[in-house]
Amino acid sequence: MKRRSFLGLMGAAGAGLAVPASARAGVKDFRGFLETPGVLFDGTRCIGCRKCELACNQVNNLPEPEVPFDNLEILDSRRRTDASTFTVVNKFETANGPVYRKNQCNHCLEPACASSCFVAAFRKNTDSAVDYDDSVCVGCRYCMIACPFEIPTYEYHKVLTPRVMKCTLCGPQMRAGELRLPGCVEICPVEAMIYGPRNELINLANRRFKQFPGRYVERIYGEHEMGGTSWMYISGTPFRQVGLREDLGTKSAPELTAGALAAVPVVVAVWPVLLGGIYAINKRKEKIAAQEQKQAVAAAVAKTKEEAEEKLATSLSKAEEAANRRVDNEVKKAVKEALAKKEEELKAADASKPDEEEGK
Amino acid sequence: MAYRKLVLGLSGCLFVLVCVLFLQADVMSMISSSGKDSGRADLIMIQAIGKQTTKQASAVQFFHDAHTEALAEQGKDCAACHIKDDRGVISYKYMRLEDPSASQLQDLYHDNCTACHAENAKARMANPGPQIGECRACHSEPRDYTQAWVSGGMDNMLHYIHWDSDLIPKDEGKETNCGQCHHEYDEETEELVYVQFEEEGCRSCHGASPKDPVKSNLAEAFHGQCVTCHLDNKEAEAERNGPLDCASCHGAPQRLEAQVRMAEKLEEMGGVLPRLPRNQPDAVLVAAKLPDLPEDATRPTLMYPVPFNHELHEHATDTCRDCHHETLKQSCTDCHTLKGSEQGGFISLERAMHAPDSKHSCVGCHNEMKQDPSCAGCHAAMPRGTEPPASSCAVCHVNPNILTQSPAERQVSYTDFTEMLIPAQVDGRQPASEPIEIPEDKEGRMALAHELIINLRQEPLLIAEEDIPDIVIIDVLANEYQPAELPHRKIVMSMMEGMQDNSLATAFHATPVTMCQGCHHNSPLSKEPPSCQTCHDERSQEGRLGRPGLLAAYHIQCMSCHAEMGLEEPAATDCYSCHKQIEN
């Protein structure tokens, strides 16, 4: 390939790749809506009484559980949320005795479930709750795969109208004025959870770190995780030990996928254009070459023809010349002969003239 | 055709490039976590390559205790692998006193290790150890174990076992045996000598790397000193010889066991260790050293001196090093001056004494003491700020003039800490004479401190039993349970009992109702503090973020206190032990 055409191709490729890069730069360092409410869970306060599970069950009219809520032996096994349990408390054994942590939807500031849902069944509400609309849900369960906290669950037992189920932050009840606080927050006998503006919760947590040095891992889980969550945790034991993933990073799901999604045009649009372009360029080149060849042949033929014609013309003219010359010669010869004949006749006449003159 | 190949190749390259760009977004990358906790105290990495410039073989994971044990079974001891110097001190290093070059070191290990293993094989031992040619048996990639050892510190009890021991010979012409371990370098004679009552901790000379004239670093000094003596005792078939393995001193579980054993021994001895025979003072007057000031300079504001009960604190610490962190031969104020000096790491005297989170400072250590279960019930719930409360200054900083006052005059207001300052002159100039006379000489200061200490309160200030409400009824949850009956007097009495012998509580609980603050916090000191409802209401959390509502206030206070004090009954989640079910 020629250097020029190679550079041209690379330029085209560069222009194509520049699309996701610029799209990525478009995502600002978003820190979430500070004024919106959230919940702070203090792991050093939770006593594992399961009252929050009870309240959640009652507020959301969920079916009665197999194990009653005053049975604390269930804490010995690790549980996760399911379609009829929006929140669970798990017990974690540590060197300093058992530690409890409540698990439920963290209501991410930029939820992965919402960004993965192609029918927009999930929506982050202004009161921080991530709402779910079962009327548009197609049951693809991308949300379940997208959620890094493994929260959304599915009503597998329902054949016709299965829904994705998860904690609602009691958004519907609070909007309707039935509740002033999320059910679990309200019932907690030790106020292990506090509901309030997110920025004030962060300040409160930092104040506790300062007032009780050594009691906490001095970090707020959820302040930045996955771009920040409305539900946040502070703990006396490392977060990993109480089942919180510490490998999630601080970028939100949409931010993480924005680069990849912005690259889709590269594949879908730019790629065919690019390959098509390369094909077209090559095609055109071939065409031009063929054309040029044709032209050259034509030129050559024309030239030969011209030459032949010229030659013919020359030969013809020469032949004509020769013929003319021969005719001339013949004419001259005939004229000469005629003249000689005439002279002889004249001579003969001269001889007979006196006869004639005499005869005159 | 040639172009088609090129286009394919180019597309391939671009595809890979795009893939890399995708991956760069970190979507896929996850941090894997795997923890190894099979730590061994006796794991030594033999790494002659530390001196080599190129890697030749994997470092050898050597289990020291496994070898010590195996040798003991054959009737051999440390001398099988370690040699002694001309003073009879055993070398910390394998088969050598000093480190030779890397290649010589390599030969030293190869020759001696394999020679011993070959002998073992000849003697038809079950496990003779790797033989010549089995390179990878030693030079293997790291196995499942990690090196984990704790510092084998000499605490007071261990120290006592040594200086009280009859097995360690007495110093010449003395009743003590301190000179058997403690030594000093005499620059004139260039020898190690023992000077009685001038004993220092090992660390004051032997650091991580020895500084001239000190020859050995801390590890070498300890191992040379301790192991040599233990070995000598063993050879002399003494009654006890002390440990010769790694784990006994450096293994975390073994140390814990030893601590339990020693605690039992201390219990047998009546809970009090005899004082060290070093002629240390009983009492010390801690006062800032005034810098040399020009005549007309303003004298800096000073606190009254602190009469420090040295004897009491000796029993309360693990080692002298807890407070005397560098040396025993200087006073705190030599390095920690009012403004801080280079020698004292620019830590001012005020910080050195009051830093709340330092192990060496008074306040830091007292904060640690509050974690004792009998204290933690109240103190763990109290916010611990960066500074001690101003009202507590007077507990330590005592005006010596009180000695001339009658007991009635001595009543100080504990709320006004400014009284504890040595007043500067009104116009801010240096006064003609100091308001108090602090003796210059050591004995005089000691005597004054002693006198002040005697005048301190010896008995805790406790509220009279009849002033304590007996039963308090809490009926916040009366609609769900029967009202809870709080045995208020019983609780207070048991807490006062726990305080009885606690000198720290005696000193710092400045009034009879100070201890009531454990529950009745943030309210003025009074026999009749306001009820919990005054501050903790039943409204929604909004508007009082961070201040618990009444329900949570009760639960947090009661449950955290029970947890911190280690009370098993009632358990935090046993609702019914406080809340009796409503009878139908």
Side-chain angles (χ1 to χ4, degrees):
Chain A
M1 183 185 280
K2 283 178 191 147
R3 197 176 72 98
R4 187 178 293 263
S5 54
F6 174 75
L7 287 177
L9 284 177
M10 287 326 276
L17 289 172
V19 174
S22 58
R24 215 174 279 148
V27 178
K28 293 280 185 307
D29 187 11
F30 178 66
R31 291 280 161 186
F33 306 103
L34 281 173
E35 298 299 322
T36 57
V39 179
L40 179 73
F41 174 85
D42 188 336
T44 65
R45 282 200 181 172
C46 181
I47 53 170
C49 65
R50 293 187 74 204
K51 289 273 185 204
C52 47
E53 292 184 24
L54 170 73
C56 182
N57 181 281
Q58 288 172 345
V59 167
N60 293 296
N61 295 319
L62 297 172
E64 195 141 307
E66 283 174 31
V67 182
F69 289 112
D70 55 1
N71 180 344
L72 300 181
E73 280 167 18
I74 199 171
L75 292 170
D76 292 332
S77 58
R78 192 78 180 270
R79 296 176 299 151
R80 54 165 292 190
T81 54
D82 60 41
S84 59
T85 321
F86 294 174
T87 182
V88 288
V89 176
N90 276 315
K91 181 159 91 170
F92 299 88
E93 288 296 342
T94 70
N96 301 319
V99 174
Y100 305 91
R101 185 183 63 89
K102 185 179 173 303
N103 195 25
Q104 72 300 302
C105 175
N106 287 326
H107 299 276
C108 305
L109 299 183
E110 296 170 83
C113 51
S115 73
S116 70
C117 183
F118 57 86
V119 293
F122 287 96
R123 192 166 148 262
K124 178 80 177 173
N125 205 291
T126 47
D127 65 5
S128 288
V130 175
D131 291 345
Y132 166 70
D133 182 356
D134 60 0
S135 65
V136 295
C137 178
V138 296
C140 70
R141 284 161 281 148
Y142 279 180
C143 48
M144 292 169 68
I145 294 163
C147 178
F149 305 107
E150 299 181 354
I151 293 303
T153 54
Y154 197 60
E155 289 181 318
Y156 289 102
H157 60 280
K158 283 196 184 170
V159 182
L160 294 174
T161 57
R163 290 170 298 171
V164 171
M165 303 295 273
K166 68 167 197 68
C167 156
T168 61
L169 201 68
C170 290
Q173 292 87 343
M174 283 166 74
R175 268 169 243 147
E178 292 164 23
L179 287 176
R180 295 189 62 182
L181 293 170
C184 53
V185 175
E186 180 138 48
I187 203 169
C188 183
V190 288
E191 282 182 25
M193 284 160 281
I194 297 170
Y195 180 87
R198 195 168 179 271
N199 58 340
E200 284 186 35
L201 295 177
I202 291 169
N203 291 343
L204 175 72
N206 285 318
R207 209 154 61 232
R208 285 192 186 165
F209 297 160
K210 201 175 167 192
Q211 283 179 335
F212 300 102
R215 180 180 294 186
Y216 294 96
V217 174
E218 296 195 5
R219 208 161 65 77
I220 306 166
Y221 189 93
E223 188 182 0
H224 302 305
E225 272 72 13
M226 290 303 289
T229 55
S230 291
W231 200 291
M232 295 175 290
Y233 304 82
I234 51 176
S235 168
T237 42
F239 294 118
R240 200 171 348 128
Q241 284 179 30
V242 291
L244 287 165
R245 283 177 65 177
E246 287 190 292
D247 58 349
L248 295 176
T250 56
K251 287 199 171 98
S252 69
E255 199 180 344
L256 277 176
T257 50
L261 291 176
V264 168
V266 180
V267 180
V268 176
V270 179
W271 207 241
V273 170
L274 183 69
L275 294 176
I278 295 170
Y279 177 74
I281 289 168
N282 282 302
K283 207 73 190 161
R284 185 167 169 267
K285 214 165 268 171
E286 277 169 24
K287 202 175 157 190
I288 289 170
Q291 246 168 17
E292 278 176 358
Q293 200 180 6
K294 209 172 161 187
Q295 273 176 358
V297 168
V301 167
K303 200 179 168 190
T304 320
K305 206 175 171 183
E306 208 173 293
E307 275 171 8
E309 271 172 6
E310 205 175 321
K311 216 173 168 182
L312 185 69
T314 324
S315 338
L316 276 177
S317 64
K318 269 182 190 167
E320 201 182 334
E321 216 174 303
N324 287 345
R325 221 167 21 240
R326 230 178 1 251
V327 170
D328 280 355
N329 285 348
E330 290 297 318
V331 170
K332 271 177 198 167
K333 208 169 143 184
V335 168
K336 213 173 170 181
E337 275 174 12
L339 281 174
K341 201 176 174 184
K342 203 164 185 185
E343 219 168 306
E344 271 175 33
E345 277 174 13
L346 277 175
K347 266 173 195 177
D350 273 345
S352 63
K353 203 175 179 179
D355 299 340
E356 264 183 57
E357 266 180 31
E358 286 166 341
K360 257 181 216 195
Chain B
M1 275 312 277
Y3 276 177
R4 191 178 298 168
K5 261 186 192 169
L6 200 96
V7 169
L8 268 175
L10 200 65
S11 321
C13 288
L14 282 170
F15 184 68
V16 170
L17 196 71
V18 170
C19 285
V20 168
L21 285 170
F22 272 102
L23 286 177
Q24 182 219 339
D26 260 5
V27 185
M28 302 297 188
S29 72
M30 298 287 169
I31 302 161
S32 68
S33 60
S34 68
K36 279 188 192 169
D37 358 78
S38 45
R40 279 186 71 129
D42 71 326
L43 173 59
I44 293 169
M45 299 301 286
I46 302 174
Q47 209 161 8
I49 56 157
K51 296 185 128 211
Q52 290 167 344
T53 48
T54 54
K55 183 173 170 169
Q56 308 214 335
S58 308
V60 175
Q61 278 200 328
F62 177 82
F63 297 131
H64 195 277
D65 282 353
H67 283 78
T68 314
E69 246 172 70
L71 287 171
E73 280 169 19
Q74 299 176 48
K76 293 181 189 169
D77 58 22
C78 310
C81 297
H82 296 274
I83 52 175
K84 286 183 176 178
D85 68 3
D86 47 6
R87 289 190 301 124
V89 175
I90 199 154
S91 171
Y92 175 54
K93 296 167 170 164
Y94 176 68
M95 286 288 200
R96 64 191 188 274
L97 294 173
E98 293 294 328
D99 282 345
S101 71
S103 63
Q104 282 171 309
L105 200 58
Q106 185 182 315
D107 292 343
L108 182 99
Y109 276 106
H110 283 166
D111 295 348
N112 290 299
C113 295
T114 51
C116 193
H117 291 175
E119 259 177 54
N120 292 347
K122 217 183 242 178
R124 300 196 174 279
M125 273 180 58
N127 184 11
Q131 301 297 309
I132 296 170
E134 295 177 41
C135 305
R136 297 282 162 240
C138 297
H139 295 284
S140 57
E141 288 304 311
R143 277 174 290 223
D144 303 336
Y145 295 100
T146 52
Q147 204 172 29
W149 58 276
V150 294
S151 170
M154 186 84 137
D155 60 19
N156 277 352
M157 187 67 195
L158 197 60
H159 200 189
Y160 166 73
I161 290 170
H162 282 84
W163 65 256
D164 182 59
S165 172
D166 294 332
L167 296 169
I168 302 170
K170 299 268 182 276
D171 299 328
E172 240 179 275
K174 300 201 170 75
E175 276 302 294
T176 54
N177 57 16
C178 309
Q180 300 300 317
C181 297
H182 293 273
H183 51 243
E184 264 187 41
Y185 183 69
D186 189 329
E187 283 185 10
E188 278 179 24
T189 59
E190 296 186 354
E191 271 178 2
L192 291 178
V193 292
Y194 167 63
V195 187
Q196 198 179 19
F197 304 141
E198 291 289 315
E199 298 89 352
E200 276 272 37
C202 308
R203 280 172 177 83
S204 61
C205 295
H206 298 279
S209 54
K211 276 183 201 151
D212 202 54
V214 181
K215 288 206 174 107
S216 46
N217 67 29
L218 191 66
E220 288 164 350
F222 267 124
H223 286 95
Q225 191 94 302
C226 305
V227 177
T228 305
C229 190
H230 293 175
L231 193 62
D232 289 348
N233 276 342
K234 189 170 178 258
E235 280 167 2
E237 289 177 0
E239 203 180 314
R240 284 167 56 202
N241 60 277
L244 285 166
D245 59 329
C246 305
S248 294
C249 295
H250 297 295
Q254 288 85 347
R255 288 288 294 187
L256 275 176
E257 272 171 43
Q259 271 167 7
V260 172
R261 273 202 312 277
M262 286 184 192
E264 280 166 10
K265 191 176 159 85
L266 187 64
E267 199 75 26
E268 281 170 30
M269 290 164 60
V272 182
L273 271 184
R275 291 183 74 195
L276 278 170
R278 193 188 178 266
N279 263 11
Q280 62 271 37
D282 297 345
V284 177
L285 201 65
V286 182
K289 275 200 180 128
L290 260 187
D292 290 329
L293 292 168
E295 285 268 319
D296 57 347
T298 309
R299 177 179 59 70
T301 302
L302 294 178
M303 299 292 283
Y304 285 119
V306 176
F308 178 75
N309 192 336
H310 196 273
E311 184 183 356
L312 182 82
H313 285 81
E314 274 175 46
H315 294 305
T317 56
D318 266 349
T319 74
C320 305
R321 195 154 47 89
D322 282 353
C323 304
H324 298 276
H325 50 103
E326 287 285 334
T327 171
L328 294 170
K329 289 182 185 168
Q330 279 178 312
S331 89
C332 315
T333 49
D334 286 340
C335 299
H336 298 294
T337 59
L338 277 176
K339 286 184 175 171
S341 69
E342 194 176 350
Q343 219 185 347
F346 293 104
I347 295 167
S348 67
L349 183 63
E350 188 272 325
R351 285 286 86 191
M353 299 300 170
H354 302 113
D357 41 13
S358 164
K359 275 193 296 184
H360 303 302
S361 84
C362 306
V363 172
C365 192
H366 289 167
N367 276 340
E368 289 286 308
M369 308 283 279
K370 289 180 197 164
Q371 287 175 14
D372 183 271
S374 59
C375 308
C378 295
H379 283 284
M382 289 181 189
R384 200 202 294 167
T386 49
E387 296 295 329
S391 59
S392 67
C393 301
V395 176
C396 302
H397 295 275
V398 185
N399 185 348
N401 289 342
I402 61 159
L403 293 175
T404 57
Q405 293 169 345
S406 67
E409 285 174 312
R410 278 182 214 169
Q411 292 298 325
V412 283
S413 160
Y414 289 102
T415 50
D416 186 7
F417 74 99
T418 53
E419 272 190 33
M420 299 306 124
L421 300 173
I422 301 172
Q425 217 168 326
V426 186
D427 60 2
R429 315 301 295 178
Q430 190 173 15
S433 64
E434 290 290 321
I436 50 162
E437 291 291 335
I438 297 175
E440 291 287 328
D441 61 309
K442 200 175 172 184
E443 277 72 30
R445 289 168 75 100
M446 201 163 31
L448 178 59
H450 190 69
E451 224 174 310
L452 286 168
I453 288 166
I454 291 172
N455 270 280
L456 288 178
R457 188 174 61 244
Q458 304 297 323
E459 292 293 317
L461 280 172
L462 299 174
I463 190 165
E465 193 176 339
E466 61 270 21
D467 287 338
I468 310 168
D470 190 2
I471 302 280
V472 175
I473 304 290
I474 302 171
D475 52 2
V476 185
L477 293 175
N479 54 342
E480 285 180 59
Y481 307 97
Q482 287 185 33
E485 285 183 13
L486 179 79
H488 185 271
R489 186 179 286 167
K490 192 179 136 198
I491 292 171
V492 179
M493 294 303 285
S494 76
M495 276 163 45
M496 292 204 302
E497 205 177 303
M499 256 164 52
Q500 207 74 41
D501 299 323
N502 191 319
S503 56
L504 199 62
T506 302
F508 282 90
H509 292 184
T511 75
V513 290
T514 301
M515 64 162 298
C516 304
Q517 297 287 76
C519 295
H520 299 278
H521 53 129
N522 294 340
S523 58
L525 281 170
S526 156
K527 272 181 200 169
E528 287 157 6
S531 75
C532 306
Q533 283 93 326
T534 314
C535 300
H536 301 281
D537 54 23
E538 288 173 76
R539 279 181 291 124
S540 152
Q541 285 185 348
E542 284 167 286
R544 52 164 181 78
L545 211 62
R547 181 191 293 177
L550 189 58
L551 180 80
Y554 278 125
H555 282 130
I556 293 171
Q557 196 84 343
C558 300
M559 287 174 180
S560 68
C561 185
H562 279 221
E564 294 291 346
M565 295 187 83
L567 303 178
E568 283 167 12
E569 293 284 327
T573 47
D574 183 6
C575 308
Y576 305 122
S577 54
C578 295
H579 305 287
K580 298 272 180 312
Q581 289 283 54
I582 293 178
E583 289 157 20
N584 292 317

